[in-house]
């Protein structure tokens, strides 16, 4: 089962944009780390709904796009970096 097969192709462009947003939020001291995923989810739903229409499918695709962005980031981070953020050897 491929998660990306459930995601509308129009929403694929959101995933890298959400990665950039997450990186920017991580660099912002006023935003706590626990809040980053919620901001990404909200932004994904809002941008997806405005760009592709307000519907239940649009809502679900926004949630999936946020999930793919967060999951992809965590997979890369946990595969290539240790707990201190240093590159694994």
């Amino acid at each position: 089962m491929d998660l990306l097969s459930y995601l509308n192709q129009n929403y694929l462009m959101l995933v890298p944009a959400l990665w950039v947003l997450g990186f920017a939020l991580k660099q912002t001291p006023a935003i706590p780390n626990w809040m980053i995923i919620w901001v990404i989810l909200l932004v994904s739903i809002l941008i997806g709904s405005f760009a592709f229409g307000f519907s239940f499918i649009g809502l679900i695709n926004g949630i999936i796009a946020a999930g793919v962005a967060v999951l992809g980031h965590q997979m890369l981070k946990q595969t290539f970096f240790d707990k201190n953020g240093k590159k694994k050897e």
Side-chain angles (χ1 to χ4, degrees):
M1 206 186 260
D2 184 18
L3 182 61
L4 289 177
S5 66
Y6 292 102
L7 185 63
N8 185 318
Q9 286 184 330
N10 296 330
Y11 286 80
L12 286 177
M13 65 166 188
L14 274 178
V15 174
L18 293 172
W19 274 18
V20 171
L21 175 63
F23 178 78
L25 291 172
K26 183 73 173 170
Q27 305 306 315
T28 307
I31 305 289
N33 287 341
W34 66 266
M35 192 181 290
I36 294 173
I37 58 171
W38 295 106
V39 171
I40 287 174
L41 177 63
L42 180 66
V43 167
S44 178
I45 291 170
L46 290 175
I47 289 176
S49 295
F50 281 120
F52 307 114
F54 292 96
S55 67
F56 180 71
I57 299 298
L59 174 73
I60 297 300
N61 274 281
I63 293 169
I64 293 172
V68 169
V70 172
L71 174 69
H73 173 263
Q74 286 300 307
M75 287 173 61
L76 289 173
K77 181 178 170 184
Q78 292 180 22
T79 300
F80 296 112
F81 298 97
D82 63 13
K83 289 184 179 182
N84 299 324
K86 295 180 182 174
K87 190 166 177 80
K88 289 182 181 179
E89 294 183 23

